[in-house]
Amino acid sequence: MSAKQSITVDVVSDVVCPWCFIGQKRLDKAAAALSDIDVDIRWRPYQLDPTIPPEGKDRRQYMIDKFGSEERIRQIHERIEGLGAVEGIDFAFDAIKVAPNTLDAHRVIRWSGPAGPDIQNRLVRRLFQLNFEQGANVGDHAVLIDAAREAGMDASVVESLLPTDADVEAVRAEIATASRMGITGVPCFLLESKYAVMGAQEAETIADAIRQVAAAKARGELDAS
């Protein structure tokens, strides 16, 4: 019996991107459908708006400044809510009071990678839930520390590192790398660091792309420069 093929999927995303939350749910569905392939998911940083100050901004005013009117915002939210409901997401946009700067969230996500199997996935899912379903401020250190603890991280380490500049430049460098690669929107799914699936595609589309890359890998085609 041959060993299962393993495919790495690097997800470039931001925890305040609703399409990234939808994309995470669809990626999970895709991975579950691929019983013959191990899908190794890793989360990479992206900031929709790095200019937001560390303390965040009033979200209602921020959205009006960005989209122009309450009616336009309502239309956008209604569309996303409908798509989210299909994926089991209960978007609660009205509960979100702060538009946060997500740099610190990305630092914690980075630290969660080596913390243990599946901890990073649990943390990212929790941050999506906190922001979009509970209206929590994912730029707040207390929220991040609690989320880290719930995901299985050593919260005391996170608590000690967050007030410092640890990995600030490393996260910014990763975001800059994504930009140089031509990633201008998220989510973006990078398969084996070679092929990109852009946007919150349907689970079937993501699964098909993973199957194709797995087949190419099995044929030894990914080793070519």
Side-chain angles (χ1 to χ4, degrees), residues 9-222:
V9 180
D10 288 289
V11 189
V12 184
S13 81
D14 198 358
V15 291
V16 292
C17 165
W19 295 106
C20 294
F21 194 5
I22 291 171
Q24 173 255 305
K25 292 286 191 178
R26 291 176 175 174
L27 175 59
D28 281 356
K29 277 188 185 175
L34 298 167
S35 58
D36 55 334
I37 301 170
D38 276 327
V39 182
D40 179 23
I41 301 169
R42 303 184 300 197
W43 294 88
R44 302 300 185 189
Y46 188 91
Q47 282 194 283
L48 293 179
D49 189 350
T51 69
I52 293 175
E55 67 274 13
K57 290 184 174 181
D58 177 83
R59 185 177 186 274
R60 180 178 172 276
Q61 189 57 52
Y62 177 76
M63 294 295 284
I64 290 173
D65 291 344
K66 188 173 182 179
F67 294 107
S69 71
E70 296 268 15
E71 180 56 31
R72 175 80 179 118
I73 295 164
R74 191 156 44 247
Q75 290 171 357
I76 292 167
H77 284 171
E78 284 177 0
R79 180 179 177 227
I80 294 171
E81 284 165 358
L83 291 168
V86 173
E87 307 300 338
I89 300 170
D90 184 17
F91 280 109
F93 289 110
D94 289 344
I96 307 172
K97 303 306 179 189
V98 176
N101 183 300
T102 56
L103 182 64
D104 285 343
H106 287 303
R107 291 165 68 209
V108 180
I109 291 167
R110 180 183 178 88
W111 301 331
S112 71
D118 210 42
I119 286 179
Q120 191 176 64
N121 281 323
R122 290 203 296 267
L123 175 64
V124 172
R125 285 162 179 70
R126 185 61 182 142
L127 291 175
F128 279 137
Q129 291 169 351
L130 284 165
N131 181 67
F132 287 113
E133 297 185 321
Q134 298 179 26
N137 176 5
V138 293
D140 183 272
H141 284 191
V143 171
L144 292 173
I145 292 163
D146 282 346
R149 182 183 296 108
E150 290 171 17
M153 295 177 70
D154 184 336
S156 64
V157 172
V158 176
E159 192 169 8
S160 66
L161 286 175
L162 269 176
T164 74
D165 288 334
D167 285 330
V168 167
E169 291 311 316
V171 169
R172 285 180 174 151
E174 266 205 88
I175 293 169
T177 297
S179 180
R180 282 196 302 274
M181 290 171 65
I183 298 172
T184 56
V186 286
C188 175
F189 306 97
L190 297 173
L191 312 182
E192 289 292 300
S193 302
K194 288 183 178 288
Y195 301 97
V197 177
M198 301 295 294
Q201 302 291 339
E202 294 291 341
E204 294 79 7
T205 302
I206 299 171
D208 187 54
I210 293 171
R211 278 192 203 96
Q212 290 183 42
V213 171
K217 186 177 181 180
R219 293 191 298 267
E221 295 173 6
L222 299 193

